[in-house]
Every structure is written in structure tokens, then in C-alpha cells.
Amino acid sequence: MQKYDNRTKQTLLHRHNLKLKLVIQSILVGIITGMLIVAYRLILTQAGKITYYVIDYGKQSTIYAVMWFAVLIIIAIIINYMMHKVPLIKGSGIPQVEGFLARKMDMSWAKVLICKFTGGILAIGSGLSLGREGPSIQLGAAVGKGVSELFNRKKLEEKFLVTGGASAGLAAAFNAPLAGVMFSLEELHKNFSPVVLITALTASVTADFVAKSFIGLNSAFDFTGLKPLPLNYYPYILILGIIVGIFGAFYNSTLLKTQKYYNKKTWIPSKYKKFIPFIFAGILMFILPEVLGGGHALVEKLSVGNYTIKFLLVLLCIKFIFSMISYGSGAPGGIFLPLLVLGALTGNIYADILHMYFGFNEIFVQNMIILAMAGYFTAIVRAPITGCILVSEMSGSLTHLLSLAFISIIAYIVAELLNSEPIYESLLEVMIRNKSHKYKSDADTKVIIENVVCLGSRAEGKMIREIDWPEKCLIVGVKRGNTELIPKGETILQIGDYLITLTDEIIASVASTELSKITEVSFEGKNLY
């Protein structure tokens, strides 16, 4: 019989009633995250109003315009200082959350909470083409870690609470609780663990309830009069899916090259590079204010349909370039909303061209806008289910799920054929290569890793003793449906089994990668024909 030391016994015993404990703790995480993101959204709304006051005054007097440029430089200095002190607040924050959950990066929750909140407001409020969703997800994750530490929760619970906080952050940012849940399952963990599901769902629903209590019940975008797209229009969706799939692959490639360009250019001192997007924001404020910020107001205007194709093309090009400059600089802000705006512009242009030359019914222009948003998101993030649910919740309509799923599949396939890597995984790899934010682990701490046995994996249909498991990994449970089996050497693993593995925290990251290779399907080196 297997004997366990005290730490191992405590870890295994703690798994009992874990779901109930996580539900209670996730409610607290959801409440705190919801209130935090509400404050974040309301402040950003006021910052947007200030921007329009500045535009009005700046057009009346050159002095006011010069004064605003001086303010932007001061903001850039403040943000540069915060990023130097807390590098983890750079960019979206989603790769950092994924890195933490994979035990490849550490996170000082209090510093992240303060600096990401402040830095995000300053950067997005200044007009940089960045979104609120990435910071909201990272802020929620920091809340989850903070609750875990403040209440002295075990490492086993910490990971789930961080996940719940991240889900709550997205839910509160866009009034999209189901998208928050699916994002955690599909993107952060890449499996449908029941424990992750209950944690993310509880935190997301709680945060969404809090957010709607302050901001209202309306969906993020006001698309009125949406009607289901006729089936004979689906060939148009097929072409649009190919277009946004190509554009999405180009977006990912350009974003990574822009970051590399920022880091390599030595003719500009490092401390001055952060000024570049703020200078662009100041110029665009008086030339093309529509491209400033995340772009929420721009999408609302697209739904009205007052722009010409020529002007839409200008908006698309400038918004794309400005988004690259803004995010490539490392300023704290996300890419969700800007990429959705780029997708919306693409869909609007495509629909207008169809209307002008092919008799496309203009009442379905809004459909093409939201379809392109979902397809563009899928091609870039490679999370099709999240994209469908997110756009549905943001648009406030579930009547177009079929068409959303269709374009997401097309965009996904096109991006895969172009060998475009998912953007957040690519950004995380860059951070890991730079060896920043190394995870601090405890050699004496035991952690539990969950893996699901997938169709076509090395573990499918094998007995446990037939598999070469990673060193210092102990299979302590096999969950099959609602039944948890006691693992034995003769236990045959089936598709959908959840393997519960115990290992040392110090090697958990490597062990998790090796276990994934065993339980997940890989097509490398296989003959598919």
C-alpha cells in the first residue's frame, strides 16, 4: 500500500469538499472583482469625455493643444516608471495570467492591482488604441490571488481562485458572464475541468450581477433590429471567413514583429520609446479622433451606418497601425476590443461592397459586422467558442449563433493553414524566453494537476502501468463521469477520464507539460492518410 507523508496527506484530504469551498470563495472574488471593474469602467468613461473636451478646446487654441501634449508626455513618464517597477503590468495581462496558471511566471497581486489599474486608466484614457478587457482579466486574477493569500488558502485552491477572478474580470468588463466562463475553459486551461467550470461560473455570474447593479442591464453594444441571416447568404459568410482568417494571421504576425521592432531599435533610448504611442494619440486626437481608445463608440456608430466605404478603409488602416504602435510599446492595455473593432470595420466594408455591387440587402449589414468580429477574434486568439458567446452577449442577441459558429470555423481553419500561432501563446513564449517574472516555487509543497484523456492521445486505451509517466508524479485519482476510481496498474484509461496527479510544486510546470503530451492528441509525426 502507498504511504504518504504529512504534506501529501493534507493535500489529498483537502480535495474533499473542494467544490463547495471554491463556490463560497469564488463569490467573494466575484464581488470584489465586479466592484473593481465597475470603478475601472466608470473612470474610463469619464476619461473619454475629458478627451472630447480637450479636442474642442485644442481646436480653438494652440496653447491648449500644446498643454495636452505636455500632459501626454507626463503620463508616458508615469506609465514608464510603473512598468519599470512592476514589469508584469505590461501589455494585455492575459499572457501573464496564463503563465502564472502554468507555473511559469509569478505574480505580486498587490503591485499588479495598483499599477495595472492606474496604468490602464492612464494609457486607455489618453487615447491609446487599447482595450479594457485584458487589464480587467489580470485585475480579476490578482484579486483571486489576493483572496487566496489573505485567507491562507492552499496552492490547490489558489489556481482555481485566480481562474475565477480572471473569468469575473472579463464578465464585468463586457457584461458577458458566459464568455468569461468559456474563456477560462477554452483559453486559460484548455480543458473543461468540472472544478474550473464551477469556480469560473460562480465568480463570473457574481461579478456580472455586481456590474449590472451599477451600470445597467444593457448589452455592451446596441445592435437594434438584428435579424437572422438567410441561408442563401451563407456563401458570403464563407468568403468573409476566409478574409478575416487571413487578416487575423496578418494581425498576429505584425503584432509580434512590432514588439520585436520596439525592443531592437537602439537609436531611441529605451525610456523614450514609450512616448511614441502617446505622441501619435495626441496627433490623431485632432485629425482622426474616431480611432482613439478601445473603439467602443466607433462600433456603436458603425451600427447606424453613416460612413462611406472610403472613410471606413481609412479608419481600418489607421486603427490597425495605431493598435500595433500602442500595444507594441508595452503600455498596459488589451487587444480584445481593438481587434473586435477591426473586425467590425472589415465586416462593414465587406457588406457595403456586397450591397453596392451584388445586391446584398442592407438590413443585414449589422450581421456582417458582428460576424466579422467573431471571425477576427477566432483567427487571432484561436478560441472559437469564446468568440461566438462573447459577440452574442455583447450584441444582446442569440439569433445568429449558427452563422457565428460557421464563420468561426472558417476563420479558424484559415489561420491554422497559414500556420499562425494563437496570439496569447506567442506573447507568453516571448516573455518566457526573456526569462522575466520567474515563478517562485516551494520544494516542500505538493500540488495537484488535472489532465483529461483525449481521443487519439498516447494514454487512450492504455493501462496505467503501460505508460511512462514523468518522474515524481503520482496518479492519485481517475475521475470517470461522477465516479472517482482508485487508480491501479491495471486501470485502463478511457476517453474523457480526468487524471488527478500529485507532484512537487517545484517541478509542476515541467510535469504539467509532460502530462499534457501523454493525455492530449498530437499529430506530429503521424500519417493522417
Side-chain angles (χ1 to χ4, degrees):
M1 182 180 291
Q2 178 71 51
K3 294 184 178 180
Y4 303 122
D5 57 32
N6 289 332
R7 282 180 177 266
T8 302
K9 287 180 180 178
Q10 290 176 6
T11 303
L12 293 174
L13 287 172
H14 195 73
R15 287 187 58 244
H16 295 289
N17 299 321
L18 179 61
K19 286 184 181 180
L20 179 60
K21 297 174 186 176
L22 286 173
V23 166
I24 297 171
Q25 295 161 14
S26 296
I27 292 173
L28 178 60
V29 170
I31 292 172
I32 298 173
T33 301
M35 295 179 68
L36 184 68
I37 304 307
V38 164
Y40 193 68
R41 289 178 62 175
L42 292 177
I43 294 174
L44 284 176
T45 300
Q46 295 304 314
K49 293 179 180 178
I50 293 173
T51 299
Y52 286 104
Y53 284 129
V54 171
I55 293 173
D56 291 337
Y57 283 109
K59 288 180 178 179
Q60 297 173 15
S61 172
T62 307
I63 296 176
Y64 286 116
V66 172
M67 289 174 61
W68 179 245
F69 271 96
V71 170
L72 290 175
I73 295 300
I74 293 171
I75 291 174
I77 293 172
I78 294 171
I79 291 178
N80 189 44
Y81 175 78
M82 287 193 294
M83 289 194 298
H84 176 71
K85 291 295 183 182
V86 189
L88 207 66
I89 69 168
K90 293 180 180 178
S92 167
I94 294 174
Q96 291 91 319
V97 175
E98 291 186 0
F100 176 80
L101 293 174
R103 297 184 176 89
K104 295 178 180 178
M105 302 173 68
D106 208 352
M107 177 170 59
S108 174
W109 68 270
K111 291 181 180 179
V112 167
L113 213 56
I114 296 170
C115 294
K116 191 72 172 191
F117 187 91
T118 308
I121 288 173
L122 291 175
I124 302 171
S126 298
L128 269 60
S129 184
L130 300 169
R132 64 177 181 257
E133 76 301 317
S136 298
I137 289 170
Q138 190 177 19
L139 288 170
V143 169
K145 190 170 189 295
V147 169
S148 176
E149 289 189 7
L150 290 174
F151 290 92
N152 197 26
R153 299 293 89 190
K154 291 184 178 292
K155 291 287 184 180
L156 180 62
E157 289 172 70
E158 180 182 73
K159 187 175 180 180
F160 294 119
L161 291 177
V162 168
T163 300
S167 302
L170 180 57
F174 284 147
N175 292 359
L178 295 181
V181 176
M182 189 53 61
F183 182 76
S184 290
L185 295 170
E186 192 176 24
E187 176 62 26
L188 296 182
H189 286 269
K190 294 180 174 57
N191 68 64
F192 286 72
S193 164
V195 183
V196 174
L197 174 62
I198 193 64
T199 305
L201 183 60
T202 303
S204 291
V205 171
T206 304
D208 186 54
F209 181 85
V210 172
K212 287 177 177 175
S213 298
F214 288 92
I215 298 176
L217 298 174
N218 294 331
S219 55
F221 294 131
D222 184 19
F223 286 98
T224 56
L226 271 175
K227 298 181 180 179
L229 200 66
L231 294 179
N232 62 318
Y233 277 19
Y234 272 58
Y236 294 136
I237 303 178
L238 174 64
I239 298 172
L240 180 59
I242 295 172
I243 293 171
V244 294
I246 295 171
F247 283 4
F250 179 70
Y251 180 99
N252 287 359
S253 175
T254 306
L255 186 62
L256 294 173
K257 288 178 180 177
T258 304
Q259 277 197 327
K260 190 180 295 184
Y261 183 83
Y262 260 104
N263 295 331
K264 282 189 174 181
K265 282 299 171 185
T266 56
W267 53 275
I268 302 178
S270 180
K271 62 181 178 180
Y272 297 126
K273 290 180 182 178
K274 301 298 182 291
F275 294 170
I276 297 174
F278 289 91
I279 294 172
F280 270 89
I283 296 172
L284 290 170
M285 180 174 289
F286 301 106
I287 298 176
L288 196 65
E290 288 87 352
V291 302
L292 295 176
H296 187 278
L298 178 56
V299 176
E300 294 281 2
K301 290 178 182 178
L302 292 180
S303 64
V304 180
N306 291 331
Y307 295 134
T308 64
I309 292 179
K310 189 175 181 179
F311 188 62
L312 288 172
L313 286 169
V314 172
L315 287 175
L316 177 63
C317 294
I318 301 301
K319 183 68 175 177
F320 180 87
I321 294 170
F322 189 39
S323 296
M324 295 298 112
I325 294 172
S326 298
Y327 192 85
S329 69
I335 62 172
F336 258 41
L337 190 52
L339 73 84
L340 289 175
V341 173
L342 292 171
L345 287 167
T346 303
N348 201 162
I349 294 168
Y350 179 72
D352 285 351
I353 292 174
L354 290 179
H355 174 63
M356 289 179 62
Y357 298 104
F358 299 97
F360 184 83
N361 195 328
E362 61 181 345
I363 68 172
F364 296 117
V365 171
Q366 288 187 357
N367 293 69
M368 288 301 178
I369 290 175
I370 64 172
L371 288 174
M373 291 166 67
Y376 207 67
F377 177 90
T378 298
I380 293 169
V381 182
R382 216 62 53 79
I385 303 177
T386 301
C388 292
I389 295 175
L390 177 64
V391 172
S392 293
E393 289 187 298
M394 291 180 71
S395 62
S397 174
L398 297 175
T399 59
H400 43 271
L401 277 176
L402 176 60
S403 54
L404 285 172
F406 182 65
I407 193 171
S408 295
I409 292 170
I410 301 302
Y412 188 100
I413 292 172
V414 171
E416 284 285 314
L417 291 174
L418 293 173
N419 295 319
S420 175
E421 295 293 329
I423 189 60
Y424 292 125
E425 291 183 13
S426 299
L427 292 171
L428 177 58
E429 287 177 7
V430 171
M431 293 179 182
I432 293 173
R433 281 201 302 268
N434 294 336
K435 298 180 179 179
S436 56
H437 326 297
K438 189 174 180 182
Y439 188 83
K440 298 176 184 177
S441 54
D442 183 358
D444 296 325
T445 300
K446 302 292 184 182
V447 296
I448 285 178
I449 301 172
E450 280 191 355
N451 297 87
V452 61
V453 178
C454 298
L455 175 67
S457 67
R458 288 159 51 190
E460 179 198 350
K462 298 283 184 65
M463 289 190 291
I464 289 179
R465 69 183 182 190
E466 294 177 325
I467 300 172
D468 185 17
W469 300 103
E471 292 184 5
K472 297 185 179 180
C473 288
L474 179 65
I475 308 297
V476 296
V478 177
K479 191 167 185 180
R480 185 171 296 164
N482 292 324
T483 305
E484 187 167 320
L485 308 176
I486 299 175
K488 299 178 181 178
E490 296 78 17
T491 302
I492 298 176
L493 299 177
Q494 300 179 7
I495 300 169
D497 284 349
Y498 277 88
L499 297 185
I500 302 165
T501 309
L502 186 73
T503 189
D504 297 330
E505 186 188 20
I506 197 169
I507 63 166
S509 176
V510 176
S512 179
T513 301
E514 293 300 316
L515 287 167
S516 295
K517 291 178 181 178
I518 295 171
T519 57
E520 295 177 5
V521 62
S522 174
F523 296 110
E524 295 180 7
K526 291 187 177 182
N527 184 3
L528 302 181
Y529 302 97

